[in-house]
Amino acid sequence: MFFPKKSLFLTHVNFFRMNFEHLYIQNPVFQNRYISPEKLFSYLQTNLSDYIQEIGRSYLHKPIYKLSIGNGKTSVVAWSQMHGNESNATHAMLDLLTTLKKAPEMRDQLFSQISLDFIFMLNPDGSERWTRLNAAEIDLNRDFHNEASTELKFLKKMVSSKKYDYALNLHEQRTIFTTDGVHPATLSFLAPSENEERTVTENRKKCMAVIGKIYESLKHLIPNQIGRYTDEFYPTSTGDNFIKAGMPTILFEGGHFIDDYTRKETRKYYTIALYYALKAISELRSDTTGWENYLEIPENQETHYDIVYRNVKLNTDHECILDIAVQYREIFEEGQDEILFVPFVVEAGEVKKRKGWLEIDCTGKRFVSDTKYPKLDAEVSFKIEE
């Protein structure tokens, strides 16, 4: 059980001496970035059956589970894998529970202050295929008003059934983002706008105050790697509409960490951020103290490709030297346990506005290819040889 009565009333001294990041443990059952829905369902039923409830079925009739934990007065709703190819939040919740299992005092203190309803894998069909969209080819995060997707209806129904004090809208972002043109935006956060004018409302301040506390807790762990997502108002998105309706909603975005395309490091810091978000919520209780700290977080910048080949001399009749930019596409093949990273050409010419996480100087080297020119939006088929 998560709440042994004997440890519910703990001294704050013991609680605050413990740092979650020093205790962090990865859930050993889910080591890959790809999470099989069936494997997740089996794990939840075997290990967390007392805390889960099926709230609906996906387009392809897969179960959607909600985990309920805590008995505190401050209520929080959160959901993972609204986009099927964004598994970090599912990992983070599993890792959070695994870590807190060995820190019962910390666990009981947290969940005596909040009650959390967490939806695992809102889009199990997309998660199985490792696609952003659901099986009906709908982006759940752009379907708030149309309600064309089966899955979003269950989320909205659950949110409307209870007055939640906060919501956590958990996502991942591409490797293109940095905080300053140099450091990757490993984590980014957002207090979404309620209107096109991006007015800083009281609900936004509640979100900003929580994010400010997360930032204070993590900025020394991953310096220069925490960003602020754009607050452009998206009229059809889930988070923007939830906060517009009165529920403070915080966006998480897990991003790139150097040499970590399977996002194991990102997963770790995502989990730590999730803990400190819940801790901040338990302390603030809808207060907005410190919301201005949010404004210290640098805004995301689009500055990078995965690879840039510099000074490539093509095999043409005339001298042609250019740069070739490459971005990995994440592809899942049925029967595999992990996703593949397949390089695609995204730009060729003078690639000056962006850098590469890997930069390869091809000066004096040979461009080996069946074609004279690299083909855009095609898988990399060339080689660079000495």
Side-chain angles (χ1 to χ4, degrees):
M1 295 293 290
F2 282 101
F3 311 110
K5 291 183 179 179
K6 64 180 180 180
S7 57
L8 271 178
F9 301 102
L10 301 165
T11 65
H12 288 282
V13 175
N14 289 336
F15 177 61
F16 286 114
R17 280 178 181 170
M18 304 172 77
N19 293 321
F20 182 87
E21 57 270 24
H22 298 146
L23 298 169
Y24 170 78
I25 302 174
Q26 184 184 104
N27 185 301
V29 178
F30 300 93
Q31 297 186 13
N32 295 336
R33 188 168 168 197
Y34 178 79
I35 300 176
S36 160
E38 298 303 326
K39 185 176 181 179
L40 175 66
F41 303 155
S42 176
Y43 179 87
L44 295 177
Q45 291 161 357
T46 302
N47 296 278
L48 296 165
S49 59
D50 290 342
Y51 303 95
I52 63 169
Q53 174 187 353
E54 184 179 314
I55 63 167
R57 292 263 165 169
S58 70
Y59 183 83
L60 296 180
H61 306 292
K62 294 186 184 300
I64 301 171
Y65 287 110
K66 174 189 72 172
L67 176 140
S68 296
I69 181 172
N71 52 17
K73 293 181 179 179
T74 304
S75 59
V76 185
V77 61
W79 55 94
S80 72
Q81 284 184 269
M82 170 175 272
H83 294 140
N85 59 352
E86 299 176 1
S87 61
N88 257 170
T90 302
H91 280 125
M93 189 61 197
L94 293 167
D95 290 357
L96 177 72
L97 295 175
T98 301
T99 302
L100 290 178
K101 189 174 181 180
K102 77 165 189 175
E105 294 185 357
M106 180 180 285
R107 175 195 65 205
D108 295 343
Q109 174 67 25
L110 177 65
F111 289 116
S112 67
Q113 299 297 318
I114 67 168
S115 57
L116 172 66
D117 288 335
F118 189 97
I119 301 176
F120 279 100
M121 202 174 275
L122 180 64
N123 179 7
D125 300 340
S127 300
E128 183 170 57
R129 301 184 302 161
W130 196 253
T131 60
R132 178 181 178 88
L133 309 181
N134 75 349
E137 301 296 319
I138 297 169
D139 185 339
L140 304 188
N141 203 30
R142 295 293 181 270
D143 189 40
F144 192 87
H145 298 298
N146 288 340
E147 293 190 0
S149 60
T150 303
E151 299 85 355
L152 190 66
K153 292 177 183 176
F154 293 121
L155 173 62
K156 291 179 70 174
K157 181 179 179 181
M158 198 184 91
V159 168
S160 65
S161 69
K162 181 176 178 180
K163 184 176 179 4
Y164 289 100
D165 298 295
Y166 295 88
L168 303 179
N169 184 14
L170 307 174
H171 289 266
E172 289 184 55
Q173 63 188 0
R174 292 170 291 166
T175 59
I176 62 175
F177 292 110
T178 64
T179 61
D180 55 7
V182 177
H183 298 89
T186 302
L187 294 174
S188 295
F189 302 95
L190 174 67
S193 295
E194 299 181 33
N195 51 41
E196 292 183 1
E197 294 75 27
R198 310 184 190 190
T199 306
V200 179
T201 61
E202 198 67 14
N203 277 335
R204 290 194 73 194
K205 287 182 180 180
K206 291 178 183 180
C207 299
M208 291 174 180
V210 173
I211 295 170
K213 281 185 170 285
I214 300 171
Y215 181 61
E216 287 298 313
S217 298
L218 272 79
K219 67 180 182 181
H220 301 298
L221 298 176
I222 44 174
N224 304 307
Q225 291 179 234
I226 300 174
R228 181 154 47 99
Y229 203 77
T230 175
D231 66 349
E232 177 184 354
F233 179 69
Y234 291 93
T236 60
S237 75
T238 305
D240 298 49
N241 279 284
F242 276 153
I243 195 168
K244 183 179 178 181
M247 181 172 64
T249 304
I250 298 167
L251 174 70
F252 276 54
E253 294 280 354
H256 187 52
F257 192 100
I258 298 295
D259 298 327
D260 179 37
Y261 282 90
T262 56
R263 298 203 168 178
K264 291 185 183 300
E265 288 297 307
T266 303
R267 165 183 179 171
K268 172 183 175 180
Y269 292 111
Y270 204 120
T271 307
I272 295 168
L274 179 59
Y275 168 75
Y276 281 116
L278 296 174
K279 183 173 181 287
I281 286 169
S282 74
E283 294 168 348
L284 286 166
R285 300 178 185 178
S286 299
D287 191 13
T288 61
T289 300
W291 71 270
E292 299 92 344
N293 295 334
Y294 172 83
L295 303 177
E296 296 177 12
I297 305 173
E299 291 188 4
N300 279 1
Q301 302 176 32
E302 294 186 29
T303 64
H304 274 61
Y305 290 120
D306 290 324
I307 306 172
V308 177
Y309 295 88
R310 300 286 184 191
N311 308 309
V312 179
K313 185 176 181 179
L314 302 183
N315 302 320
T316 54
D317 297 332
H318 59 285
E319 184 171 88
C320 182
I321 299 176
L322 47 67
D323 302 327
I324 303 172
V326 170
Q327 199 73 6
Y328 289 117
R329 290 189 185 175
E330 299 172 4
I331 296 172
F332 177 72
E333 294 182 353
E334 190 173 353
Q336 298 299 310
D337 294 326
E338 187 60 290
I339 56 175
L340 303 173
F341 296 91
V342 182
F344 275 72
V345 176
V346 292
E347 187 177 349
E350 289 188 326
V351 183
K352 292 182 177 179
K353 293 184 178 180
R354 292 199 185 185
K355 303 173 185 177
W357 293 118
L358 174 63
E359 297 243 350
I360 301 173
D361 185 1
C362 301
T363 303
K365 299 177 182 179
R366 292 195 309 129
F367 174 77
V368 180
S369 175
D370 294 334
T371 60
K372 288 185 177 181
Y373 301 96
K375 187 176 181 182
L376 291 178
D377 202 36
E379 187 175 341
V380 169
S381 59
F382 62 83
K383 296 180 180 179
I384 303 294
E385 296 183 350
E386 297 290 342

